[in-house]
Amino acid sequence: MISTEALSGIDTFLAFIAVERQSPINSERWRRKASKAIESLAYFPHRCPIAPENAFRDYEIRAQIVDPCVFLFALTKKKAWCASLAVVMADSR
């Protein structure tokens, strides 16, 4: 399951790659890579490291890195739930 906040972040990032970076092919490649990574959480979510945000929650928060983005997801006994997306990009100056 993925939140609307994370989906919105994905859409914004894909548009940035396609339009601002003028690379629609790379945008599509990253979309496929991110989709595969998120889908894999259903099978083996514990492979991802515990996120620093975990200290502030009463449930487990882990991070799935899909360079240059970090997906934060919550783990419950029944499923992994992708809650947010953080985009970490190097300064282009």
Side-chain angles (χ1 to χ4, degrees):
M1 182 173 182
I2 187 164
S3 72
T4 54
E5 177 188 349
L7 286 172
S8 177
I10 291 169
D11 289 343
T12 300
F13 185 65
L14 291 172
F16 171 78
I17 295 171
V19 178
E20 296 295 323
R21 295 291 170 103
Q22 298 179 351
S23 187
I25 292 171
N26 284 337
S27 177
E28 179 58 25
R29 284 182 189 144
W30 188 88
R31 186 198 60 76
R32 285 194 307 265
K33 185 177 174 181
S35 293
K36 189 175 182 178
I38 291 169
E39 289 170 9
S40 74
L41 296 176
Y43 304 105
F44 193 50
H46 287 93
R47 76 180 184 288
C48 300
I50 291 178
E53 292 81 357
N54 187 66
F56 307 107
R57 301 284 187 237
D58 56 353
Y59 49 86
E60 191 171 314
I61 302 289
R62 291 185 174 254
Q64 169 70 44
I65 299 169
V66 181
D67 193 32
C69 299
V70 177
F71 290 93
L72 297 179
F73 66 95
L75 268 182
T76 66
K77 291 181 182 181
K78 294 184 179 182
K79 63 183 173 182
W81 187 75
C82 188
S84 67
L85 166 72
V87 179
V88 181
M89 299 192 57
D91 189 359
S92 60
R93 286 185 262 172

